[in-house]
Amino acid sequence: MAAQCEENDKLHKPAIERAFEKILSDKRVTVWHLGLFSALMYCYSRDGSEDTVSITRRELMHLAHFHSLSTYHNCMKELVRFGYIHYLPSYNPLRGSMVYFKGNNQPL
């Protein structure tokens, strides 16, 4: 019975809440990862898209309070490697890069 209730809770929790629960329990994640992930989630919820968000490095660095390009790039690469996001850079300053959120091997 308890397992069934727990499964129902998982189905009814918002995707953002599930994502934060997962990343907060990961020992590899630092405060810098959390800052960048929070900025990504803010853009995701603001834009209201289903599973992707279009971002620019400048906006994310501002939102996450990053001042170093190397910190930004390292954290972005590690979030990809840790399996939290899929990142498709555009290399075009007029078009944003795309980020897909992963939750249980599925986009959020």
Side-chain angles (χ1 to χ4, degrees), residues 25-38:
S25 66
D26 190 337
K27 301 293 185 208
R28 302 170 294 179
V29 174
T30 67
V31 66
W32 301 109
H33 296 104
L34 289 174
L36 183 57
F37 192 74
S38 296

